[in-house]
Every structure is written in structure tokens, then in C-alpha cells.
Amino acid sequence: MIARASLRLRILLFFALLAVGSLLAIGAGVWLALTRFPELAAQANGLVQIATVAGFGSLGLIAWVWFLFDKNVARPIDLLAGALRARAHSDVDRPLEMEVARYLGDLAPAAGAASDRLAETRSALAEAIGRETARLNAEKARLERLLSDVPVGVMICAADHQLVFYNSQAAEFLGAGGG
């Protein structure tokens, strides 16, 4: 279940566990002090007040560190992952926003480089497909010119037995009327 939870939720659960652990540690410290040192039993109220202040202080500190971690690490990672996913599944031309992930070290520049490389590869692939399509169309046109003058009827079928080309003599033979 936790493995399928979002990154931000898992980080929140980590800090919540840290908060519970610190409260348990403070409570165990108070309990240990009261049981090991009987002379402190008379001052139990003061010790409980100190433990309460320490508990709220540690909870506040943990909540503040969680907020900073969520704001500067977890959210930028989610935004970066979403931007990379969008670029992987569509043709987004905008560069990645590096300022969002400024505290992630080299992760944002590396993701930007991967995104740019993906865009370059897509562009090169589209150009190669265009070149090959133009070359095949030129070869087809040349073949059509050559075979249209042949006095014998010519039909060309694809591997799946579909008719892909026939000249005028073959059209007359088939009775298609030359079209």
C-alpha cells in the first residue's frame, strides 16, 4: 500500500513517524526519570511541563522541516516527473523550468538534457521518415513512368496480396477502363 502512495504522502508519513518517535522518546525519558529517581516524584509537575514544552518544540521543528522538505524537494520532484512524462508522451517544445528544482542539485539539468535529447531524436526521426517517404515516392513515380510504356500488362501485388500498381494495359485486360 505504501509503495503505491505518492512521494509526498510517503514523505509526510516518514515525518509523522519521526514526530511520534520523538514524542515517545520524550515520554520514555520522563517515565525513566520518575522511576529511577524517586526524589523527582515530588517535582513531577515541573518535569511533565518540561516534557510538554519539549514535545511541542520537537513537533514544531519536525513540522517546519517537513514543510521545507515538501516545498523544496517533494513538490519539485513531482513537477519534474510530470514535466518529463508530458514531454515523453507529447511534443512539448518549452524547456524545463530549472528554477523550480533549484534545490535538487544536478537532477533538473540532467532531466532537461534528457528532455532536449528526446526532442532532438524525435526531430531526427521525423526528418528521416520524411526523407525515406520522399525517396520511396520518387522511386514509385519512376517505376510508374517506366512501366506505363511497357506494351505488356503489369500488375504488382504486396505481400498480403493487395494490388498496389497496374499499368494501362493491365487495366484494359482487367476491364477497369484504364483508371
Side-chain angles (χ1 to χ4, degrees), residues 1-113:
M1 177 187 119
I2 290 179
R4 292 188 307 178
S6 71
L7 174 68
R8 293 181 65 201
L9 179 62
R10 285 184 279 165
I11 289 173
L12 174 66
L13 291 175
F14 173 77
F15 279 98
L17 181 66
L18 186 64
V20 169
S22 68
L23 290 178
L24 288 175
I26 291 171
V30 169
W31 176 79
L32 187 64
L34 288 175
T35 58
R36 302 266 294 177
F37 302 105
E39 63 273 5
L40 289 178
Q43 300 169 355
N45 286 339
L47 196 58
V48 169
Q49 285 180 354
I50 291 171
T52 303
V53 170
F56 280 118
S58 65
L59 284 179
L61 183 63
I62 289 171
W64 180 64
V65 171
W66 166 78
F67 174 74
L68 290 177
F69 198 82
D70 185 62
K71 178 183 170 187
N72 295 316
V73 176
R75 285 183 194 169
I77 287 175
D78 277 348
L79 291 173
L80 196 59
L84 285 174
R85 191 173 292 116
R87 281 158 178 75
H89 296 292
S90 66
D91 292 330
V92 177
D93 292 334
R94 289 185 311 131
L96 288 174
E97 296 177 21
M98 300 296 177
E99 185 61 28
V100 171
R102 65 185 171 270
Y103 296 115
L104 297 180
D106 197 34
L107 185 61

Side-chain angles (χ1 to χ4, degrees), residues 134-144:
R135 185 185 64 79
L136 289 174
N137 285 337
E139 285 183 17
K140 180 182 173 219
R142 188 174 17 168
L143 180 64
E144 287 174 352

Side-chain angles (χ1 to χ4, degrees), residues 69-176:
F69 198 82
D70 185 62
K71 178 183 170 187
N72 295 316
V73 176
R75 285 183 194 169
I77 287 175
D78 277 348
L79 291 173
L80 196 59
L84 285 174
R85 191 173 292 116
R87 281 158 178 75
H89 296 292
S90 66
D91 292 330
V92 177
D93 292 334
R94 289 185 311 131
L96 288 174
E97 296 177 21
M98 300 296 177
E99 185 61 28
V100 171
R102 65 185 171 270
Y103 296 115
L104 297 180
D106 197 34
L107 185 61
S115 176
D116 292 344
R117 183 70 177 146
L118 176 63
E120 290 170 9
T121 303
R122 278 188 178 153
S123 176
L125 181 62
E127 289 174 10
I129 289 172
R131 278 193 314 270
E132 288 301 310
T133 303
R135 185 185 64 79
L136 289 174
N137 285 337
E139 285 183 17
K140 180 182 173 219
R142 188 174 17 168
L143 180 64
E144 287 174 352
R145 281 193 311 274
L146 288 172
L147 293 178
S148 65
D149 295 335
V150 174
V152 180
V154 177
M155 292 187 298
I156 299 176
C157 295
D160 60 351
H161 305 292
Q162 296 291 321
L163 188 62
V164 292
F165 176 79
Y166 57 90
N167 64 359
S168 58
Q169 288 78 10
E172 290 174 12
F173 176 72
L174 294 172

